[in-house]
Amino acid sequence: MKDSYELAEMQDAVDATQRGFNEVLASLGDASAHPRGERVVEGVFNHRARLDGNEVGYETIAAAGPHACTLHWIRNDGPVQEGDLLLLDAGVELDSLYTADITRTIPISGTFSETQRKVYETVLEAADAARAIVKPGIRFGDVHDAAMAVIERVTREWGFLPEADGTPYHRRYMVHGTSHHLGLDVHDCAQARRDMYLDGVLEPGMVFTIEPGLYFQPDDLTVPAEFRGIGIRIEDDIVVTEDGCVNLSANIPRTADDVEAWVQGARKA
Ligand code: GLY
Ligand code: MN
Ligand code: MN
């Protein structure tokens, strides 16, 4: 549980991270013009982290196009091309060493394709379903289960999954956990025992991420060609309150329409 000082630090870390994301969006033209545009993105974000905080909280993931399907893509040496998505997973660590951990996935051109939007809205639905159940007394693992129920339902509706037989086939497209605790470490308390972590019960003042995703590998023949190479994650930082939760990163655009407007505004400026 974090006290009021710690929660204020977490919000400051998120706000500094938002400034870094805004600057990345404003630099998309430069990124697109460079053969290693992902490095431009990393450089812009990390510059903000050094100015406003101590450092980045973890190595910035700047993953454009199919690189988003590689979970911890930190080589960041690929191009940033119109028509592709950019998955940016980055966090400013303050001088107090508290860190944010935020992901946004944006259309580099400013407009999602029909398929990109379809995937985006599914990930958003999973994130919102997970956040909707957060309150004291539920199990930490319930948050993951709520997100996965959406991922399974929709990928089944799309016809990607074999007949249901109890096997979690949908995990092929979402290969990581939905949440981890966050604070002084990006994966705070990661060594905690299972009964204190996944099976642990939420209490007010806990801070953790909600970060579902969908990743369709470029060579995955279980999905139609137009889905291949799309990787999307939306990651927010959440604090448990007495009767629910607050999303510390709610001010960073999340809906598909808001994200498009955000990119278009930044690219015009
Ligand atoms: N940035 C690492 C993670 O989201 O867990
Ligand atoms: Mn995370
Ligand atoms: Mn992250």
Side-chain angles (χ1 to χ4, degrees):
M1 278 60 64
K2 291 185 171 57
D3 63 24
S4 57
Y5 161 78
E6 294 178 289
L7 293 176
E9 289 299 299
M10 294 303 299
Q11 185 67 66
D12 283 354
V14 168
D15 293 347
T17 299
Q18 179 168 9
R19 290 191 285 279
F21 275 54
N22 286 338
E23 288 166 355
V24 165
L25 265 57
S27 72
L28 280 176
D30 290 346
S32 297
H34 196 283
R36 298 208 291 180
E38 292 173 346
R39 291 282 168 97
V40 175
V41 169
E42 176 191 323
V44 168
F45 185 83
N46 292 16
H47 183 238
R48 179 50 51 196
R50 288 294 281 168
L51 293 180
D52 285 6
N54 180 52
E55 242 296 16
V56 287
Y58 51 92
E59 285 186 89
T60 294
I61 297 168
H67 288 163
C69 301
T70 300
L71 269 200
H72 284 101
W73 177 260
I74 54 172
R75 269 169 50 188
N76 300 345
D77 60 355
V80 170
Q81 291 169 321
E82 305 283 333
D84 281 345
L85 301 174
L86 171 69
L87 183 156
L88 175 60
D89 182 343
V92 172
E93 175 189 272
L94 299 181
D95 291 338
S96 60
L97 306 183
Y98 286 91
T99 188
D101 177 10
I102 307 286
T103 306
R104 289 293 183 268
T105 307
I106 60 151
I108 292 156
S109 68
T111 309
F112 287 105
S113 74
E114 203 179 312
T115 307
Q116 289 167 348
R117 180 177 271 261
K118 213 165 134 172
V119 179
Y120 189 91
E121 291 191 328
T122 302
V123 175
L124 186 67
E125 185 185 341
D128 288 346
R131 200 177 67 258
I133 69 157
V134 173
K135 60 176 183 189
I138 70 161
R139 262 186 351 114
F140 186 73
D142 294 338
V143 182
H144 175 69
D145 294 345
M148 285 308 97
V150 173
I151 298 290
E152 176 165 27
R153 174 177 54 75
V154 177
T155 53
R156 184 168 298 290
E157 280 167 12
W158 289 344
F160 296 176
L161 306 182
E163 201 177 323
D165 62 2
T167 308
Y169 292 111
H170 58 286
R171 291 290 278 152
R172 175 187 187 93
Y173 312 118
M174 166 49 187
V175 290
H176 56 78
T178 301
S179 296
H180 56 81
H181 288 279
L182 181 69
L184 288 171
D185 274 332
V186 62
H187 292 172
D188 227 25
C189 306
Q191 304 305 320
R193 297 191 314 265
R194 186 183 169 98
D195 57 320
M196 300 288 289
Y197 203 107
L198 278 182
D199 294 335
V201 172
L202 297 190
E203 295 177 33
M206 285 182 169
V207 175
F208 57 83
T209 67
I210 294 182
E211 51 176 307
L214 270 172
Y215 314 91
F216 301 110
Q217 297 297 330
D219 59 354
D220 190 338
L221 300 180
T222 69
V223 301
E226 67 266 26
F227 285 83
R228 295 178 203 148
I230 294 179
I232 293 177
R233 176 164 66 255
I234 303 169
E235 177 171 28
D236 288 294
D237 299 344
I238 304 296
V239 53
V240 183
T241 60
E242 293 297 331
D243 57 358
C245 68
V246 169
N247 180 1
L248 298 176
S249 42
N251 287 337
I252 308 179
R254 298 176 74 252
T255 68
D257 287 346
D258 287 352
V259 167
E260 286 187 346
W262 186 33
V263 177
Q264 288 166 15
R267 293 204 65 158
K268 254 197 273 127

